[in-house]
Amino acid sequence: MDRTLTILEFHKIIDRLINKAMTPMGKELAATILPSFDLEEVVYRQKETHEGLEVIRLKGGLSFDGVHDIRGFIKRAKIGGILAPEQLRQISSTLMAARKLKKLILQLNEELSLPILRTLVEPIIELFEIEKKINESINEYNEVVDLASTELKMIRNQIRLIESRVKEKLESILRNPHYQKMLQDPIITIRNGRYVIPVKQEYRGVFGGMIHDQSASGATLFIEPDSVVQLNNQLREYQLKEVKEIEKILRQLTDLIRMEADSIAEMVKHLGRLDVIQAKGELAKEMKATLPKLNRQGYIRLKKARHPLINPEEVVPIDVHLGQEFHVLIITGPNTGGKTVTLKTIGLLTLMAMAGFHIPADEESEVAVFSSIFADIGDEQSIEQNLSTFSSHLKNIIEILKKVDTNSLILLDELGAGTDPTEGAALAIAILEKIRLLQARVVATTHYSELKAYAYNHQGVVNASVEFDVKTLKPTYRLLIGVPGRSNAFAIAKRLGLEEEIIQFAKEQLSEEDQQVELMIHSLEWNQKIAEKERLEAERLRKQTQEMKKEVEEKLALLEQNRFKILEEAKQEAEKIIRKATREADEIIRELRKLIQEKRVDVKEHELIAMKKRLNESVPDLEKPKPISKKQNKKIEVGDEVKVLSLGQKGNVIEQVSENEFIVQIGIIKMKINRQDLEVSEEKKRSNPEAIMTGVKRTKEYVKPELDLRGKTVDEAMIEIDRYLADALLAGYKQVSIIHGKGTGVLRSGVQDFLKRHKLTKSIRMGQYGEGGSGVTVVELKA
């Protein structure tokens, strides 16, 4: 496998990944990535890359600022060492960065759904107290601050006080005119941790004290005068105390790290994995790579695949498929035509996919997870082993054949080359036949025409070629599956100016069979180009049709949305107007009632109620209109019983005014109704139109001799009575019963008051024994 990785230059992809990583842990982890042969593992790795790319696309990526490689510091703390201020600050910085990354990813997960990244950060413990304690004790210059402990603050106050007294005494010497000529420079300096002044050599005995240093020439001595020796001693004593106190503080901070060492070490691992995931996403973005489909059946289907190590502006995308219709693909064509690049593209993209990288190919590309991948590509001649090119290739192929199985991918470049063409071609066919019988997937390149015939004569083997433009004498690097390559030697010779006579003589040396093969290949190439052109045109038209369909659907959706919006606004406006009118009508009715009570104006109560009902029913229904009944379209004739849809009432057609208008009698009311508002009743049709037109009374089977009002309000009862009395009179009843029940007597009183004033009532009385008693009012109707 290592040899295959080297041949296909997988390490160069890893190098690019390492450069994308931002932390030492990430770079180390990136360097260890290898292809996996387990489908579930590969799927998981691909999901990692997808999540990394999603975060980059939508949020610009994760920031690893403040993350340091603290693994060595953690080990030092675990074995009892004391960490330096700078090391503690780096640990604090890393803890803070990890805490922020965890918070950010958990927030992004709610928006983007990042299960893998969420799982990585959830175990990260937030050691905020340790982080805070380190930051309070050590500043950004990696200095232990005075507030790190009460003792340190006291010690440093003493140091500053003593230093001030030492400097004060030495400055008094420097300012004294008597001593100025004895000093080399009027400055205070430090030697061996003690404050001194520079004195000329000849005045060394004037100041007494201790000599700590001298200049290179010996002309200047750095002397600590007797007057400050005691103070310097005190200063040194406190400085030693300061060192011990700082050591004590650092040990306490290190102990905090030691107690959480395992958790911090685990956190660092997670940070490294996050870094690698983001690096894979960055690499996918740079290569314009996509998430491939994966399978374990050995299917490869690459669309517009590009070799990732070739300049993006120069690389030619290829379409290639293998493993379903055929298992063996034989690529022929001239040198430098792109055969080897095709092999490497197939192999490298497969390795990348199995390692969890997105691949530089169009979406919907598919890659298999193989159990092994073998490659024999390039000139492997070994001078040290004294092996020829042919021997070197053959040795590699022998090793491959020992390890190959059904789920292997094998890439063979210039199979059988380097020896006698006849024997080489025969050997190449034998090797391919061995692999074909094992059902392994193989892509092989060759110059031998015999292999073209082999592909035609064996199931599961297909020819392919790299296209060559004879006009420009340059390859196009396009892969044509199903078409074997031509040598193009005669065409190239002609373009370069070789005499036609020589070319013609050369053609005559070919057998008739060879010439027919060349003509067949030429025809195949031509048909392939036509088919490809038509396919591209069909694809263009399909996309255009889809875009037009999408545009029309969007416009229809917008129109529908606007239509409902306009209807809704109109309905709301209409409802607003009618409500206003209804309020005004209510006010008028209240005033009329008031007039009735005060001045006894001759206005019937049931007429007022009927007016209010008509106003209420005129409020529009804001629900979607119901579909018109199919019964409307039936033929309507005079005498038919119909339902008036807008009123919800039944009536009879007594006259046809026009093709679409009819006079309909509803009770004692006659109305002109449009055909669209009528529905023919299936139950009954009038048999005597003349009787209807002259107002003949209804038959009693349509109207009952009693009206049950139990459960109604007084206002509802009045409306029901008014309609019922009219129907009863038309039906020919002389007397009817109004059932109101006994109850509290409110409904009975209201009903009887209304009946006394009704224009169709001749007289009323309470029901007798057997008629319902006081729960019924018997009404005698006017003739």
Side-chain angles (χ1 to χ4, degrees), residues 419-647:
T419 187
D420 176 77
T422 304
E423 293 181 354
L427 193 58
I429 291 172
I431 292 169
L432 289 176
E433 183 64 10
K434 170 70 174 178
I435 298 173
R436 186 183 75 86
L437 294 175
L438 288 172
Q439 293 289 297
R441 276 61 176 172
V442 59
V443 183
T445 68
T446 182
H447 280 295
Y448 296 140
S449 59
E450 288 87 346
L451 268 68
K452 302 174 188 177
Y454 168 76
Y456 278 112
N457 296 326
H458 290 79
Q459 187 178 1
V461 186
V462 169
N463 275 311
S465 60
V466 285
E467 192 176 48
F468 187 87
D469 191 337
V470 179
K471 293 180 180 179
T472 61
L473 301 181
K474 292 181 180 179
T476 66
Y477 300 103
R478 292 177 64 243
L479 182 67
L480 305 176
I481 294 180
V483 180
R486 291 195 293 160
S487 65
N488 294 305
F490 295 149
I492 294 172
K494 185 176 181 179
R495 288 284 301 172
L496 293 176
L498 187 64
E499 294 178 16
E500 183 65 31
E501 181 182 353
I502 298 175
I503 295 173
Q504 189 61 37
F505 182 79
K507 287 182 177 180
E508 293 173 357
Q509 306 310 306
L510 293 175
S511 66
E512 184 178 348
E513 183 180 344
D514 291 336
Q515 292 183 31
Q516 288 177 351
V517 169
E518 284 296 312
L519 288 172
M520 179 191 69
I521 292 173
H522 177 73
S523 176
L524 283 170
E525 284 184 346
W526 176 258
N527 291 332
Q528 180 86 359
K529 289 179 181 179
I530 296 297
E532 180 68 10
K533 183 178 180 181
E534 291 177 350
R535 186 190 67 79
L536 292 174
E537 179 63 18
E539 182 68 15
R540 184 188 68 80
L541 291 174
R542 185 186 65 80
K543 288 182 179 179
Q544 184 178 351
T545 303
Q546 286 181 338
E547 290 173 0
M548 291 174 65
K549 179 183 176 185
K550 183 179 178 182
E551 185 179 350
V552 169
E553 288 175 347
E554 288 175 352
K555 287 182 178 179
L556 284 174
L558 182 61
L559 285 172
E560 189 70 7
Q561 183 180 355
N562 290 337
R563 185 176 75 85
F564 279 115
K565 183 179 179 182
I566 292 169
L567 284 174
E568 186 68 20
E569 290 175 354
K571 289 176 182 177
Q572 290 176 359
E573 184 64 25
E575 184 183 24
K576 181 179 177 182
I577 293 170
I578 293 174
R579 282 176 180 167
K580 181 180 178 182
T582 303
R583 286 196 299 270
E584 292 175 355
D586 286 343
E587 183 64 29
I588 291 170
I589 291 171
R590 281 195 295 272
E591 291 177 3
L592 287 173
R593 282 177 176 162
K594 186 176 180 181
L595 287 173
I596 291 170
Q597 293 173 358
E598 293 178 355
K599 300 182 180 181
R600 298 185 181 277
V601 177
D602 189 16
V603 179
K604 303 298 182 184
E605 180 71 17
H606 74 277
E607 294 176 346
L608 296 176
I609 293 169
M611 291 167 60
K612 186 171 188 302
K613 181 174 183 294
R614 287 171 57 196
L615 284 169
N616 288 337
E617 289 178 346
S618 66
V619 178
D621 185 5
L622 295 184
E623 296 180 358
K624 292 182 180 179
K626 296 180 180 179
I628 298 173
S629 172
K630 294 180 181 179
K631 296 176 184 177
Q632 295 174 222
N633 298 324
K634 291 190 175 182
K635 185 177 180 182
I636 300 176
E637 299 176 348
V638 175
D640 287 349
E641 182 176 283
V642 294
K643 180 178 181 181
V644 182
L645 299 176
S646 59
L647 300 177

Side-chain angles (χ1 to χ4, degrees), residues 271-320:
L271 291 176
R273 284 195 62 192
L274 285 174
D275 188 16
V276 169
I277 290 172
Q278 173 153 290
K280 289 197 296 181
E282 289 282 3
L283 189 59
K285 180 183 177 183
E286 181 180 271
M287 295 190 302
K288 298 180 181 179
T290 61
L291 174 66
K293 291 182 178 180
L294 299 167
N295 68 78
R296 53 163 56 96
Q297 285 77 34
Y299 303 153
I300 294 177
R301 186 172 296 275
L302 300 176
K303 299 180 179 180
K304 305 297 181 187
R306 307 172 299 278
H307 195 288
L309 302 178
I310 298 177
N311 188 330
E313 297 179 0
E314 298 175 1
V315 66
V316 177
I318 62 169
D319 293 331
V320 61

Side-chain angles (χ1 to χ4, degrees), residues 166-214:
V166 169
K167 290 178 181 178
E168 184 179 340
K169 284 184 175 294
L170 292 177
E171 284 174 355
S172 67
I173 295 175
L174 297 177
R175 291 193 299 269
N176 192 325
H178 176 69
Y179 295 121
Q180 286 180 355
K181 65 177 182 179
M182 305 177 187
L183 300 174
Q184 192 70 36
D185 291 295
I187 58 171
I188 300 171
T189 184
I190 297 176
R191 291 292 186 276
N192 300 324
R194 302 176 76 90
Y195 285 98
V196 296
I197 53 176
V199 179
K200 294 177 181 178
Q201 172 71 25
E202 57 269 28
Y203 299 107
R204 61 184 298 175
V206 175
F207 297 94
M210 299 177 62
I211 299 173
H212 288 278
D213 198 3
Q214 68 177 5

Side-chain angles (χ1 to χ4, degrees), residues 114 117 176 187 220 231 252 330 352 414 444 488 574 622 726:
L114 307 168
L117 295 182
N176 192 325
I187 58 171
T220 304
L231 288 173
Q252 290 173 346
I330 300 175
M352 287 175 61
E414 298 297 347
N488 294 305
L622 295 184

